[in-house]
């Protein structure tokens, strides 16, 4: 069935509840934000009818750093009271401080893990970040042993030869698993409205001589039957990361992932800006007058989805991410 530009359902809602971050990662510029903005409880409650009407099933708190929010767990309660699963993506620096509230109000946590301790701290540019992450995970598991806590690793120049060590570090932290994606080099996401200069890209991207080390790490992980288990990605998805860096170097043609994100999700920023995903331009803004449902099926959003061909779109072809949410049945879109 063809994807429809008008959405009957919105299974996934990605929220950035706080605009700032407490890391200074080399592959992200969100840490440069100085103007703190938040999605308040009253803001979220105002859109309760949209959450119900569009059948939101899963809310993901992204960043910035969600745990910097002044009342994050009130937002969690609003969502969970409606039967919506709540996931928090976190740098891990504030896990220990908020462990009790996380254990009581969150369904699962995904932490950023960029390598074993020294590599992780170098990329995050926060001394002791790995130890703080470890302490936070221990605190959460002491309070609620069954709460899933997994890791996400962004692959780039400083850690491309450390994937197996990163998997081992995730196991050592007692995490439930790990996923990998390539560092975004070309989009305007992550507080990069003008994109990155070629010089800045070089500080994060792989050089031709780095590709063999990355490929070796990935093929070893595949050969050890980690994929689809402790490592979330399939072999094909892991190998696509190598292709992504090859394409960036002009050694292969860019290729879009299989993705239906604009038809099953939106990303809402702390100031109310709504995007079809992290990487495409805004499709509207929610506020005291304009509801989430009105933005999701507003003229701009419908035009965008009607004209989007993921396979040929330039942004999609250079995308590091993918979301392929399954339809409920063959006769109904999502």
């Amino acid at each position: 069935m063809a994807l429809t530009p008008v959405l009957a359902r919105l299974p996934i809602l990605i929220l950035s509840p706080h605009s700032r971050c407490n890391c200074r990662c080399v592959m992200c510029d969100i840490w440069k934000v100085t103007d703190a903005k938040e999605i308040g409880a009253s803001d979220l409650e105002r859109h309760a009818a949209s959450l119900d009407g569009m059948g939101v099933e899963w809310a993901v708190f992204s960043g910035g750093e969600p745990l910097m929010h002044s009342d994050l767990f009130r937002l969690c309660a609003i969502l969970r009271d409606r039967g919506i699963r709540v996931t928090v993506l976190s740098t891990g620096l504030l896990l220990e401080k908020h462990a009790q509230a996380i254990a009581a109000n969150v369904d699962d946590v995904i932490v950023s893990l960029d390598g074993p301790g020294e590599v992780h701290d170098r990329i995050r540019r926060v001394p002791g970040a790995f130890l703080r992450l470890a302490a936070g995970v221990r605190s959460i598991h002491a309070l609620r042993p069954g709460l899933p806590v997994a890791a996400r690793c962004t692959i780039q120049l400083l850690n491309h030869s450390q994937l197996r060590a990163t998997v081992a570090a995730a196991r050592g932290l007692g995490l439930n698993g790990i996923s990998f994606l390539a560092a975004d080099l070309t989009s305007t996401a992550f507080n990069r409205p003008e994109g990155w200069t070629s010089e800045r890209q070089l500080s994060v991207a792989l050089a031709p001589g780095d590709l063999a080390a990355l490929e070796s790490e990935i093929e070893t992980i595949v050969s050890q039957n980690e994929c689809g288990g402790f490592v979330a990605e399939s072999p094909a998805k892991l190998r696509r990361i190598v292709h992504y860096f090859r394409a960036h170097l002009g050694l292969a043609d860019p290729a879009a992932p299989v993705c239906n994100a604009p038809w099953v999700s939106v990303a809402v920023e702390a100031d109310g800006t709504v995007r079809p995903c992290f990487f495409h331009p805004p499709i509207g803004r929610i506020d005291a007058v304009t509801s989430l449902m009105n933005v999701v099926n507003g003229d701009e959003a419908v035009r965008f989805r009607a004209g989007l061909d993921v396979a040929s779109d330039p942004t999609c072809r250079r995308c590091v991410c993918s979301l392929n949410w399954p339809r409920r049945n063959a006769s109904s879109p999502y």
Side-chain angles (χ1 to χ4, degrees):
M1 174 179 279
L3 297 170
T4 173
V6 178
L7 303 187
R9 296 182 57 80
L10 187 74
I12 303 170
L13 178 63
I14 301 167
L15 297 171
S16 294
H18 190 85
S19 60
R20 299 190 65 195
C21 190
N22 52 9
C23 281
R24 299 169 56 86
C25 302
V26 299
M27 64 286 190
C28 177
D29 285 350
I30 292 176
W31 60 270
K32 296 180 179 179
V33 174
T34 58
D35 185 15
K37 294 184 174 68
E38 289 192 343
I39 297 173
S42 60
D43 299 322
L44 188 57
E45 287 172 331
R46 190 181 299 123
H47 300 284
S50 293
L51 301 178
D52 295 341
M54 303 207 73
V56 174
E57 301 173 32
W58 184 14
V60 180
F61 285 121
S62 185
E65 170 53 59
L67 294 175
M68 292 176 70
H69 192 279
S70 61
D71 197 13
L72 180 69
F73 301 104
R74 174 60 186 144
L75 302 186
C76 294
I78 292 169
L79 294 164
R80 295 181 87 210
D81 285 349
R82 316 193 86 79
I84 297 171
R85 169 187 169 188
V86 171
T87 297
V88 171
L89 309 185
S90 176
T91 65
L93 298 182
L94 295 173
L95 290 182
E96 185 174 25
K97 177 180 178 180
H98 296 292
Q100 187 168 2
I102 290 169
N105 294 283
V106 171
D107 294 293
D108 61 294
V109 178
I110 300 174
V111 297
S112 297
L113 179 65
D114 291 313
E118 183 179 348
V119 175
H120 179 81
D121 290 2
R122 182 181 177 193
I123 290 172
R124 296 268 133 188
R125 295 192 288 195
V126 176
F130 184 87
L131 293 177
R132 290 171 66 179
L133 167 60
V137 173
R138 286 196 301 271
S139 295
I140 291 171
H141 283 162
L143 291 162
R144 186 176 161 193
L147 178 66
V149 183
R152 176 171 294 165
C153 177
T154 301
I155 299 173
Q156 40 109 341
L157 179 62
L158 295 179
N159 66 4
H160 72 282
S161 63
Q162 299 284 327
L163 271 59
R164 286 176 292 167
T166 306
V167 172
R171 280 201 166 95
L173 290 169
L175 301 181
N176 293 83
I178 187 169
S179 63
F180 291 97
L181 77 164
D184 173 52
L185 301 169
T186 59
S187 84
T188 58
F190 312 117
N191 192 39
R192 303 179 304 203
E194 307 301 324
W196 270 351
T197 64
S198 297
E199 182 179 5
R200 181 67 192 281
Q201 290 178 23
L202 286 173
S203 69
V204 175
L206 273 59
D210 299 319
L211 292 171
L214 173 62
E215 191 163 24
S216 175
E217 290 287 309
I218 285 176
E219 291 305 322
T220 300
I221 289 172
V222 171
S223 70
Q224 292 173 343
N225 296 316
E226 296 274 26
C227 295
F230 193 77
V231 175
E233 285 74 26
S234 66
K237 277 197 169 184
L238 281 184
R239 289 168 176 149
R240 183 177 176 272
I241 296 172
V242 180
H243 183 90
Y244 168 82
F245 285 110
R246 287 187 183 278
H248 182 73
L249 292 166
L251 302 174
D253 291 330
V258 176
C259 179
N260 60 12
W263 290 271
V264 298
S265 68
V266 292
V268 181
E269 299 173 5
D271 65 356
T273 297
V274 181
R275 296 177 184 268
C277 71
F278 286 113
F279 306 102
H280 280 287
I283 52 174
R285 182 182 296 236
I286 57 174
D287 53 30
V289 176
T290 308
S291 71
L292 178 62
M293 189 181 296
N294 287 341
V295 171
V296 168
N297 281 323
D299 292 343
E300 183 65 26
V302 170
R303 278 195 300 269
F304 172 79
R305 288 189 292 266
L308 179 63
D309 176 52
V310 171
S312 62
D313 182 83
T315 297
C316 294
R317 291 183 71 205
R318 295 190 178 276
C319 188
V320 299
C321 193
S322 67
L323 172 63
N324 194 28
W325 188 261
R327 293 184 176 128
R328 286 178 172 270
N329 57 64
S331 63
S332 174
Y334 313 115

